[in-house]
Amino acid sequence: MTAAKIFRFKGGFHPEDHKKLSSEHEVKTLGLLPRYTVLLRQNVGAPPEVCVTKGDHVKKGSCIAQPASFVSVPLHSPVAGTVGDLLTVPGPNGSPVEAVEILSDGEDMQEWDDRLEPILDWRDTPANVLKKRILDAGITGMGGAAFPTHVKLSPPPEKPVDTLILNGAECEPYLTSDDVLMRSHARAILTGAAIAAKVLGVTEIFVGIEDNKKEAFNAMEQAAWGISSAAVTVVPLPVKYPQGGEKQLIYALTGRKVIVGALPMDVGCAVLNVGSCYAIWDAVLNGHPLVERITTVTGTPVVHPGNYRILMGTPLSAALEGAGGIRENSDVGKIIFGGPMMGFAQYSLEVPVSKNTSGILLLERSEVAQFYGGPCLSCGRCVEHCPMQLPVSTLSKACESERYDLAKENHVLACLECGVCSSVCPARRPNVQHFRKAKAELKELLQKEKNKKVGK
Ligand code: SF4
Ligand code: SF4
């Protein structure tokens, strides 16, 4: 291993991390539930198409939906049981979404579907076979965007990738699921990374971990020796939000800049979350599709904050119950899927956990940040801290008056939605909410124009 130079990205800030609440307890597994609702749309791209019918018997890991296109992944049953209804349930981003109901057979010793056989000799297995396994196991990004992993591992020939980056930064306050996974399963994560490196044909693997996770760093460094034919370098990164943003991470570890509108592959990089690498190991070495994950359930209102192994399709209410429920006298002001900076507020306790549910965070009403939309003071703090160096105050005013043409000219589409500009704003302007809305409007407009062109 060689020492890596670290490049410091501009902007960002240091929020209180609140990680101790959940990081110091052992990972627990939630008990079996009678019923799961598995969301169909769990990945970026096309949702898969259901391939089972009501009354079918399924094993744990049986395929229940097939990919609908190249940018799509299959879905699998989290438990053995019977297929129930195709339902509409509340989704994590607030809109109703389709889900497949699975009624558990109640057996604690769940038998896995054995259609995906373990590939123990993965080092001698062709790259295309390994990539197919990653697709067949339904693996997506598990840190946030849920981008299908097999697509990340398929750069076109004109964009060769030479570097694989493992994202173990976990810079969002409160979240510790990646930290505990690295502490307890470093070798499995790095084996998954070695498999991904083989698929990509890269010669260099960097693992970026924020410097506040010493135990995880040591575990990953120890496990890195001899694990891959690619050179593996585990790098401690400065603690600064959003260090785990894809663009910021690539810059920090390689000095390569991903410009507005470009992708990591445009600078020869592929970035995978450590959870996705663990899922690759499980899919290849054990033949298990992605049906569960470690999720941080935390916040001062939670009786037993910690990290929990949770099956996909588990309702938020059951995950909370598994963590001991809510403390008496708590006045919960907000429930968030993800962290406080980039997560989404939830309005129903029936929202199911899915592949990218890194955390379930409860905040007391007194802890919830309030944004009033007061007039901009032109203080420039947002511009100074924006990790994308965007003209934030200009953008904020343009979006507020729904001048989305101006917002587009000022690169709103490059906004990471990291929330830094809202957090540092003395006027408590809801900047990031404005930008989310503007981006959604502009994307819809773009889609309409595309449809017009192809005569839809
Ligand atoms: S939310 Fe967007 S505009 Fe605001 S700091 Fe983050 S990247 Fe910059
Ligand atoms: S930080 Fe807030 S008040 Fe200051 S310039 Fe930015 S939007 Fe305006």
Side-chain angles (χ1 to χ4, degrees):
M1 281 185 285
T2 49
K5 179 173 181 210
I6 297 166
F7 298 83
R8 288 172 182 267
F9 71 89
K10 282 192 192 144
F13 80 140
H14 299 91
E16 259 188 70
D17 75 14
H18 301 280
K19 289 186 186 270
K20 276 204 168 163
L21 254 183
S22 61
S23 67
E24 295 182 340
H25 311 285
E26 261 184 39
V27 178
K28 296 196 185 97
T29 301
L30 286 199
L32 199 62
L33 301 173
R35 175 179 178 266
Y36 295 83
T37 47
V38 184
L39 291 186
L40 266 185
R41 185 178 276 285
Q42 294 197 34
N43 59 273
V44 167
E49 288 161 359
V50 179
C51 60
V52 285
T53 47
K54 189 172 175 177
D56 282 356
H57 182 75
V58 285
K59 291 181 180 171
K60 185 179 173 91
S62 294
C63 185
I64 56 172
Q66 292 281 5
S69 69
F70 175 59
V71 189
S72 182
V73 292
L75 274 183
H76 302 85
S77 176
V79 290
T82 310
V83 177
D85 289 311
L86 185 61
L87 304 163
T88 300
V89 298
N93 62 2
S95 336
V97 281
E98 282 190 317
V100 182
E101 181 185 43
I102 304 287
L103 306 164
S104 163
D105 65 10
E107 296 291 329
D108 271 351
M109 296 301 288
Q110 296 268 314
E111 195 189 337
W112 280 90
D113 191 309
D114 58 10
R115 261 168 278 191
L116 299 183
E117 277 183 22
I119 306 175
L120 300 176
D121 58 346
W122 64 268
R123 288 179 200 275
D124 298 321
T125 301
N128 62 334
V129 175
L130 296 172
K131 184 155 71 177
K132 169 102 174 35
R133 169 54 54 89
I134 291 165
L135 162 64
D136 289 344
I139 300 173
T140 63
M142 294 173 75
F147 199 82
T149 300
H150 69 280
V151 180
K152 278 195 180 181
L153 300 182
S154 308
E158 69 277 14
K159 294 186 179 175
V161 165
D162 59 16
T163 304
L164 172 65
I165 291 176
L166 260 62
N167 191 348
E170 202 169 48
C171 58
E172 268 270 4
Y174 287 96
L175 302 187
T176 57
S177 55
D178 287 348
D179 182 15
V180 298
L181 190 66
M182 288 188 284
R183 275 155 37 191
S184 55
H185 292 88
R187 204 159 173 87
I189 294 168
L190 287 165
T191 303
I195 294 167
K198 176 167 177 171
V199 172
L200 283 166
V202 302
T203 50
E204 183 110 58
I205 301 174
F206 286 114
V207 185
I209 302 175
E210 269 197 349
D211 213 8
N212 55 0
K213 302 174 191 63
K214 301 270 188 243
E215 199 184 324
F217 177 85
N218 291 338
M220 293 290 277
E221 207 178 40
Q222 271 178 26
W225 287 103
I227 202 132
S228 172
S229 53
V232 184
T233 315
V234 185
V235 185
L237 296 170
V239 179
K240 184 163 85 157
Y241 181 85
Q243 186 70 76
E246 211 167 52
K247 290 183 166 79
Q248 286 66 33
L249 193 63
I250 291 172
Y251 180 68
L253 294 169
T254 66
R256 301 177 194 175
K257 289 185 182 169
V258 183
I259 58 165
V260 174
L263 294 168
M265 69 172 76
D266 290 308
V267 296
C269 293
V271 183
L272 296 181
N273 167 263
V274 289
S276 305
C277 288
Y278 177 79
I280 292 174
W281 165 81
D282 203 19
V284 173
L285 275 295
N286 300 322
H288 291 162
L290 180 54
V291 297
E292 71 171 17
R293 61 159 299 139
I294 297 179
T295 296
T296 308
V297 184
T298 189
T300 44
V302 179
V303 173
H304 298 302
N307 283 286
Y308 294 85
R309 274 192 185 278
I310 301 183
L311 293 166
M312 307 306 166
T314 300
L316 198 170
S317 53
L320 266 180
E321 210 172 294
I326 296 171
R327 286 181 197 283
E328 251 182 73
N329 305 324
S330 264
D331 179 19
V332 178
K334 206 172 190 180
I335 302 182
I336 298 170
F337 263 21
M341 299 300 297
M342 293 189 74
F344 282 86
Q346 300 301 313
Y347 300 96
S348 163
L349 290 178
E350 289 318 301
V351 181
V353 166
S354 55
K355 294 177 184 180
N356 65 349
T357 312
S358 49
I360 297 173
L361 169 64
L362 272 67
L363 295 173
E364 295 283 354
R365 200 167 300 278
S366 57
E367 295 172 316
V368 177
Q370 303 292 339
F371 296 101
Y372 312 110
C376 174
L377 311 171
S378 299
C379 68
R381 269 198 221 177
C382 52
V383 180
E384 187 190 326
H385 288 277
C386 173
M388 294 301 291
Q389 284 92 60
L390 296 175
V392 187
S393 50
T394 310
L395 271 178
S396 177
K397 289 174 215 161
C399 293
E400 197 174 31
S401 50
E402 300 190 346
R403 287 291 312 273
Y404 298 133
D405 54 331
L406 272 184
K408 193 177 169 200
E409 266 172 40
N410 284 284
H411 305 296
V412 73
L413 292 172
C415 168
L416 306 173
E417 301 175 25
C418 68
V420 168
C421 54
S422 298
S423 295
V424 299
C425 176
R428 311 302 294 153
R429 286 173 64 77
N431 293 328
V432 72
Q433 282 81 353
H434 285 323
F435 304 154
R436 270 185 187 157
K437 184 164 177 245
K439 284 172 73 177
E441 297 275 349
L442 286 167
K443 278 179 190 161
E444 206 183 307
L445 212 67
L446 205 72
Q447 193 55 48
K448 274 187 192 157
E449 278 166 17
K450 267 191 197 164
N451 291 349
K452 226 188 209 169
K453 269 191 199 156
V454 293
K456 268 196 196 170

